[in-house]
Amino acid sequence: MPAHGFPFSDPGMWRYWTELMITRFLSYFFFLGLGLVHPAFAEKAESKKESSTVATTPVKVATPVIKNGKITIAGKIVEYTATTGKMLLHDDDGKATASIFYTSYTRSGIANTSTRPVMFAFNGGPGSSSVWLHIGLLGPRRIDFPGDGTVPVEPPVRLVDNNQSVLDVCDLVFIDPVSTGYSRVEKDTKAADFHGLDADIESVGDFIRRWITENNRWNSPKYICGESYGGIRAAGLADHLQSRFGMNLNGVILLSSLLDYRTLLPAQGSQLSHQIFLPAFATTALFHGKIQGDRDAIIEESREFAFGEYAVALLKGNEIGDEEKQVVAEKLASLTGISAEIWSRHQLVMDPFEFRAELLREEKKVLGRFDSRVAWDATSPNSQSAEYDPSYSLAIGAFSTAMLAYLGDELGWKEDQPYEILTSKVNPWSYGSDNKIVNLTNRLARAIRHNPKLRVLVMGAYADLATPPDGVPYSIRQIVDLPPSLKNQISYTFYDGGHMFYMNPPDLEKAREDLIQFLTPPAR
């Protein structure tokens, strides 16, 4: 939701990108045909206009607000200092370009911070603030979701002490990238300058460098945690921070993340995404009683089929024989609870939007995308594609209300401008001009090769139909030039819930255990 996301501005929404590309295509030829302006000329003119703009007065930001708090974690009282504020970023000429909003939590009474880890956390989107990780998983306060996290919260939502926070062993810094939260560009700077793959990595990296320097934490163990598209950012940062600033990280946490967009959507003739989603389809079908069996056995069976017989069938495309096609369709039916006839009619492939509309069609229900355990009434029972995401509807209001109340009432930070939980103002997001599918796997691999002590924790969830749990493991398997000793630096863990699996109390507890183990590795 946060890829969360949030994740909520979905890196996998291929329909959105298709419509966007068509709009760009038509707009280009419309203006070119009218002879109004050549795009290259317009770009140069704009660049010339921008270069002549110089800030004449220093930019000031509000003084950080500091609050003291305490919480009981693992039976012990943890006292901490919460700092909410903004940090100015500057260009090479010293001109203020943007202010990054952040909230940090540092444990009180730590005389020597050289052994005290610090974690920088952010969500994805692109366009998401860090609200989801902040008051959902890591921070000292969290939303108290009822049941297993699939039930709506009765408004007004309440925050409770998060005794599953990792603040007892690690300081925390939550970052809102430019245009999210309260982060904004400064006067005479274009927001679009920050809305792109590398520009985003560079701005967040500059914030991290500045925070580390200003808080005297260069000697501290350093971790970054990215959720959803935040995994793309985290992989890029691991490489950027050490190549640009010489900052070697201790760990990278990829939570409900992705590294390669081909794992989310069919592109350039690739059918990979259909293989990646199949195990998540199977666990979803099992949860809703459409198939029966042992979950671990079903996961193993679906993975083996997805990267075996199913992969071969997809490679054959329209040359597959009728008999083989029927065999594959029947196997898909046994794994998903959707009939072989429907699978055959869909040419053996089904995207998650179609699956979410199809699985509970007889019940006139539509499944959640961020959490496929959630099923609400379909607004259009005959639609071939899920028309909305009930799991997003369940979460967005609760997180928005809780975050605004928390920032203003407890942390003491208030602004007139809106806090952008998840914004479309970052669109269009620039992924580069080389027309390639975004894939940050090699950047992460390069970071590990140059920093052999860097460890990676991959956290996936079985009910996540936004960034399915088999996506990142697949990408990691493609790092063929990574020595076996370095492959051991990467570990995996999986959860029962969805994209924000921490809304499910058992998963929240398990997440803390997994994170504590990752943050406090055994001595070697």
Side-chain angles (χ1 to χ4, degrees):
M1 271 185 184
H4 266 250
F6 174 58
F8 286 125
S9 108
D10 184 18
M13 293 187 65
W14 57 271
R15 287 180 175 79
Y16 164 79
W17 289 113
T18 300
E19 293 171 2
L20 179 61
M21 290 302 103
I22 292 173
T23 301
R24 285 181 173 177
F25 180 86
L26 294 177
S27 298
Y28 173 83
F29 283 97
F30 175 77
F31 287 107
L32 193 61
L34 290 178
L36 296 181
V37 64
H38 190 282
F41 176 80
E43 182 178 345
K44 291 179 180 178
E46 183 66 23
S47 176
K48 183 178 180 180
K49 176 182 177 182
E50 291 173 11
S51 64
S52 65
T53 303
V54 179
T56 57
T57 56
V59 177
K60 296 182 179 180
V61 294
T63 302
V65 177
I66 298 175
K67 299 283 187 178
N68 295 319
K70 61 181 179 180
I71 184 176
T72 300
I73 303 176
K76 296 182 180 180
I77 295 177
V78 176
E79 297 184 350
Y80 63 87
T81 299
T83 303
T84 308
K86 288 186 173 182
M87 180 181 291
L88 281 177
L89 302 185
H90 300 84
D91 62 16
D92 292 340
D93 296 326
K95 171 188 170 184
T97 57
S99 57
I100 300 291
F101 182 74
Y102 70 94
T103 303
S104 67
Y105 300 93
T106 55
R107 186 164 182 174
S108 305
I110 303 295
N112 180 12
T113 59
S114 63
T115 59
R116 174 75 175 173
V118 57
M119 181 192 298
F120 297 90
F122 38 77
N123 282 93
S128 176
S129 67
S130 60
V131 58
W132 318 100
L133 289 175
H134 192 163
I135 58 173
L137 173 62
L138 297 172
R141 299 278 282 167
R142 67 172 176 84
I143 297 176
D144 186 21
F145 278 97
D148 62 356
T150 64
V151 181
V153 179
E154 183 74 26
V157 65
R158 304 295 183 188
L159 289 175
V160 297
D161 282 348
N162 183 14
N163 56 9
Q164 301 301 324
S165 171
V166 295
L167 186 54
D168 54 332
V169 301
C170 181
D171 291 338
L172 301 166
V173 184
F174 296 95
I175 306 170
D176 290 343
V178 175
S179 297
T180 74
Y182 286 135
S183 298
R184 299 291 187 273
V185 294
E186 294 301 322
K187 184 179 180 181
D188 301 323
T189 302
K190 294 174 61 177
D193 292 343
F194 294 88
H195 299 164
L197 174 67
D198 290 316
D200 171 72
I201 289 170
E202 290 169 4
S203 63
V204 174
D206 198 31
F207 170 89
I208 293 174
R209 175 191 65 85
R210 290 274 307 283
W211 193 94
I212 288 290
T213 300
E214 293 181 11
N215 290 273
N216 302 313
R217 300 300 294 269
W218 277 95
N219 286 326
S220 297
K222 304 169 194 67
Y223 295 81
I224 54 177
C225 176
E227 180 175 348
S228 198
Y229 179 86
I232 292 281
R233 182 184 293 123
L237 279 169
D239 181 47
H240 174 72
L241 287 172
Q242 63 189 42
S243 63
R244 177 67 180 86
F245 305 124
M247 184 188 296
N248 282 1
L249 298 174
N250 294 79
V252 173
I253 300 162
L254 305 177
L255 189 153
S256 298
S257 294
L258 76 154
L259 292 172
D260 181 352
Y261 268 73
R262 291 175 302 171
T263 61
L264 295 188
L265 64 158
Q268 297 182 343
S270 171
Q271 300 283 9
L272 174 63
S273 63
H274 299 300
Q275 299 168 244
I276 297 296
F277 273 96
L278 184 59
F281 287 175
T283 51
T284 298
L286 179 65
F287 178 86
H288 290 286
K290 294 299 181 179
I291 61 174
Q292 304 297 323
D294 175 74
R295 188 186 66 178
D296 291 342
I298 289 173
I299 292 172
E300 182 63 28
E301 181 182 4
S302 62
R303 285 174 175 164
E304 183 177 344
F305 178 70
F307 297 102
E309 297 173 60
Y310 190 39
V312 173
L314 293 178
L315 284 172
K316 293 182 178 180
N318 60 20
E319 294 185 355
I320 191 171
D322 291 341
E323 184 176 342
E324 182 181 0
K325 182 178 181 181
Q326 182 61 28
V327 171
V328 173
E330 290 176 356
K331 182 64 175 180
L332 288 168
S334 71
L335 290 172
T336 65
I338 296 175
S339 73
E341 189 276 329
I342 292 176
W343 275 107
S344 183
R345 191 190 328 141
H346 280 258
Q347 304 303 318
L348 305 180
V349 295
M350 196 175 298
D351 69 44
F353 297 90
E354 294 169 324
F355 176 81
R356 289 167 45 220
E358 192 64 50
L359 186 68
L360 300 183
R361 185 177 299 280
E362 292 184 1
E363 293 88 340
K364 297 182 179 180
K365 299 282 187 181
V366 62
L367 300 180
R369 176 172 169 271
F370 290 108
D371 192 335
S372 62
R373 300 175 304 157
V374 180
W376 288 4
D377 291 340
T379 59
S380 179
N382 295 322
S383 174
Q384 295 302 305
S385 183
E387 64 274 23
Y388 77 111
D389 179 3
S391 60
Y392 172 76
S393 301
L394 182 150
I396 183 63
F399 275 91
S400 298
T401 300
M403 188 62 180
L404 289 172
Y406 180 51
L407 287 174
D409 299 343
E410 296 191 34
L411 295 182
W413 186 280
K414 295 183 180 181
E415 288 196 21
D416 292 335
Q417 64 178 341
Y419 184 85
E420 299 288 354
I421 299 291
L422 181 71
T423 181
S424 61
K425 292 182 178 180
V426 301
N427 296 324
W429 189 264
S430 174
Y431 290 97
S433 58
D434 55 7
N435 199 33
K436 293 181 180 179
I437 295 297
V438 174
N439 185 354
L440 273 288
T441 308
N442 286 338
R443 295 199 199 182
L444 181 62
R446 184 166 58 197
I448 297 174
R449 281 194 294 269
H450 290 288
N451 176 13
K453 293 298 183 180
L454 176 65
R455 294 177 298 115
V456 178
L457 175 63
V458 180
M459 308 172 81
Y462 294 127
D464 185 356
L465 294 185
T467 53
D470 279 86
V472 173
Y474 166 83
S475 298
I476 297 296
R477 291 199 299 271
Q478 307 316 305
I479 308 177
V480 295
D481 58 346
L482 199 64
S485 61
L486 295 185
K487 290 180 181 178
N488 295 331
Q489 298 290 93
I490 304 170
S491 56
Y492 303 88
T493 184
F494 299 95
Y495 302 87
D496 295 331
H499 198 72
M500 298 82 72
F501 54 77
Y502 39 80
M503 291 168 58
N504 180 31
D507 284 342
L508 178 66
E509 294 180 12
K510 182 179 185 302
R512 171 178 159 80
E513 295 174 1
D514 293 336
L515 288 170
I516 293 297
Q517 182 177 1
F518 185 69
L519 293 167
T520 54
R524 297 181 180 180

